[in-house]
């Protein structure tokens, strides 16, 4: 009898261990093919993508982003945030070219390869930004991760279930295609200088609506290069950027057709109220001759983060006698 009990104990122990291992594994959820969007270095403010793995460890109640090792001399790097340290999370759609910001240069001209492959590379895809703020000791920190569309619903459900009211999903209407020739100020010319020293911030004016406009580059190396991206408000241009720059404008309250214009034009109508600040992205894509664009309204958190990785655009309207655009 005692021998039988000993056999049962030996049999039960591995089963218990297996169940315990299975249960612990069930408390960890991992997502691959995600990218963190971070400053290149402490001295270089431009934002670059770093691929990695996102893990939610419910057992230890912490979030981890571990960067992939892509080079021979890379060392493992990771960000760990306890669930209780999160103060704010915002999810919102990102529209970009297939392959991410580094897929194709604005100046890209196909020399080899098929037309079909070029069209595929320039296809617009919709993933999700995962913006987060958290307490890092006595200081506050923030980060931005890009989640592929196919796993975005699972990540959003996971985070919202963990954080409750600290997490939200931004939902803004998308812009529509507009004929560039229909813009009253389409023929205007503008000079543009990039200020890499100062990073002025807009101020809130009680009698004006403030527009903050950021133009993210396809990749960090294209910052400040390529053609101009102009923001039209009804009958005039009110902001001009290049890829990797930002600008802002002060508008009288009222209803406006806001349009981002380059080789194409894209925008929407909206009401602007005095004393309020509105945040926009002039998204960039490959075009036939110039970079194409779409206009999106986005959260203050996302646009402010992306603005921290771009340079200020000092633009001015040219006189008719000086028609050559730089």
């Amino acid at each position: 009898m005692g021998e039988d009990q000993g056999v049962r104990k030996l049999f039960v122990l591995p089963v218990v261990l297996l169940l315990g291992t299975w249960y612990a594994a069930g408390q960890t959820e991992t997502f691959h093919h995600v990218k963190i969007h971070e400053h290149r270095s402490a001295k270089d403010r431009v934002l670059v993508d770093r691929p990695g793995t996102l893990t939610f460890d419910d057992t230890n109640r912490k979030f981890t982003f571990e960067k992939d090792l892509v080079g021979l001399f890379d060392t493992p790097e990771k960000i760990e945030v306890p669930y209780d340290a999160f103060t704010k999370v915002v999810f919102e759609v990102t529209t970009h070219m297939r392959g991410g910001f580094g897929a194709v240069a604005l100046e890209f001209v196909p020399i080899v390869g098929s037309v079909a492959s070029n069209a595929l590379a320039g296809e617009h895809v919709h993933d999700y930004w995962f913006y987060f703020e958290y307490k890092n000791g006595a200081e506050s920190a923030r980060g931005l991760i890009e989640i592929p569309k196919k796993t975005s619903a699972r990540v959003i459900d996971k985070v919202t279930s963990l954080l409750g009211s600290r997490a939200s999903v931004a939902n803004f209407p998308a812009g529509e295609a507009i004929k560039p020739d229909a813009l009253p100020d389409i023929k205007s010319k503008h000079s543009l200088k990039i200020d890499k020293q100062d990073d002025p911030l807009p101020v809130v004016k009680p009698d004006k609506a403030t527009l903050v406009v950021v133009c993210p580059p396809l990749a960090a190396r294209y910052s400040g290069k390529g053609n101009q991206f102009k923001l039209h408000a009804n009958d005039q241009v009110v902001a001009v950027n290049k890829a990797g720059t930002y600008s802002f404008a002060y508008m009288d309250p009222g209803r406006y057709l806001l349009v981002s214009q380059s080789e194409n034009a894209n925008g929407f109508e909206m009401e602007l109220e005095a004393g309020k600040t509105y945040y926009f992205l002039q998204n960039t894509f490959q075009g036939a001759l110039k970079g194409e664009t779409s206009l999106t309204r986005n959260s203050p958190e996302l646009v402010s983060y992306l603005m921290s990785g771009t340079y200020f655009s000092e633009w001015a309207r040219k006189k008719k006698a000086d028609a050559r655009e730089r």
Side-chain angles (χ1 to χ4, degrees):
M1 188 73 172
E3 186 176 344
D4 289 343
Q5 287 179 345
V7 171
R8 288 196 196 100
K9 288 179 181 178
L10 289 173
F11 175 75
V12 169
L13 184 59
V15 172
V16 171
L17 289 174
L18 284 171
L19 288 173
T21 303
W22 173 84
Y23 179 79
Q27 302 303 298
T28 300
E29 196 164 5
T30 299
F31 298 89
H32 301 279
H33 310 297
V34 298
K35 293 180 286 187
I36 195 165
H37 206 47
E38 62 181 4
H39 298 286
R40 179 178 281 159
S41 68
K43 295 182 179 180
D44 190 344
R45 64 186 293 178
V46 299
L47 295 166
V48 295
D49 286 333
R50 311 284 192 195
T53 301
L54 177 63
T55 302
F56 295 93
D57 181 354
D58 292 351
T59 302
N60 297 300
R61 292 189 55 77
K62 67 179 181 180
F63 151 107
T64 303
F65 181 90
E66 187 163 7
K67 299 175 189 176
D68 292 343
L69 301 180
V70 296
L72 182 63
F73 301 104
D74 285 354
T75 55
E77 290 185 67
K78 62 182 178 180
I79 298 171
E80 288 188 344
V81 183
Y83 291 165
D84 294 338
F86 282 101
T87 55
K88 179 185 290 188
V89 167
V90 181
F91 290 99
E92 56 196 290
V93 172
T94 168
T95 301
H96 58 83
M97 292 178 60
R98 180 178 294 279
F101 287 115
V104 186
L106 284 177
E107 304 88 359
F108 176 81
V109 177
I111 299 175
V112 295
S114 68
V115 174
S117 64
N118 292 326
L120 183 62
E123 181 182 342
H124 297 190
V125 293
H126 304 277
D127 296 322
Y128 264 85
W129 286 123
F130 173 9
Y131 169 87
F132 57 96
E133 297 176 1
Y134 61 98
K135 290 291 185 182
N136 185 17
E139 300 181 351
S140 295
R142 59 181 181 169
L144 184 64
I145 292 175
E146 187 180 323
I147 309 293
K149 182 180 179 179
K150 63 181 180 180
T151 56
S152 60
R154 288 168 54 204
V155 174
I156 292 171
D157 288 346
K158 180 70 177 179
V159 173
T160 52
S161 66
L162 287 171
L163 303 184
S165 61
R166 288 176 286 166
S168 62
V169 181
N171 186 18
F172 296 104
E176 298 181 352
I178 294 171
K179 293 182 178 179
D181 291 343
L183 299 170
D185 207 18
I186 187 64
K187 294 184 179 181
S188 62
K189 304 294 182 181
H190 307 85
S191 61
L192 189 155
K193 294 182 180 179
I194 298 173
D195 185 351
K196 294 187 176 182
Q197 302 301 319
D198 301 315
D199 51 349
L201 297 175
V203 296
V204 177
K205 298 185 177 183
D207 59 334
K208 299 286 186 180
T210 303
L211 276 59
V212 180
V213 189
V214 176
C215 186
L218 290 176
R221 61 185 176 277
Y222 303 126
S223 293
K225 298 178 182 179
N227 54 275
Q228 295 181 358
F229 297 85
K230 303 175 183 182
L231 181 69
H232 296 249
N234 287 347
D235 59 354
Q236 64 177 337
V237 171
V238 297
V240 182
N241 281 312
K242 283 193 172 187
T245 73
Y246 74 95
S247 55
F248 43 83
Y250 300 103
M251 310 291 297
D252 291 328
R255 189 158 190 84
Y256 289 88
L257 173 62
L258 300 176
V259 180
S260 182
Q261 175 256 316
S262 176
E263 183 175 282
N264 68 318
N266 179 279
F268 45 80
E269 286 190 4
M270 67 176 293
E271 192 79 24
L272 301 179
E273 298 181 30
K276 290 190 175 182
T277 303
Y278 302 87
Y279 296 83
F280 303 92
L281 294 180
Q282 289 180 296
N283 304 288
T284 55
F285 309 94
Q286 174 191 345
L289 299 175
K290 296 181 179 180
E292 293 190 353
T293 183
S294 72
L295 182 69
T296 55
R297 184 182 173 190
N298 296 88
S299 69
E301 293 84 1
L302 173 65
V303 175
S304 296
Y305 186 95
L306 294 176
M307 186 171 71
S308 73
T310 58
Y311 300 112
F312 184 62
S313 168
E314 293 183 340
W315 67 277
R317 192 181 186 93
K318 288 187 175 183
K319 298 179 180 179
K320 291 183 179 180
D322 184 16
R324 187 175 179 180
E325 183 178 296
R326 289 184 293 176

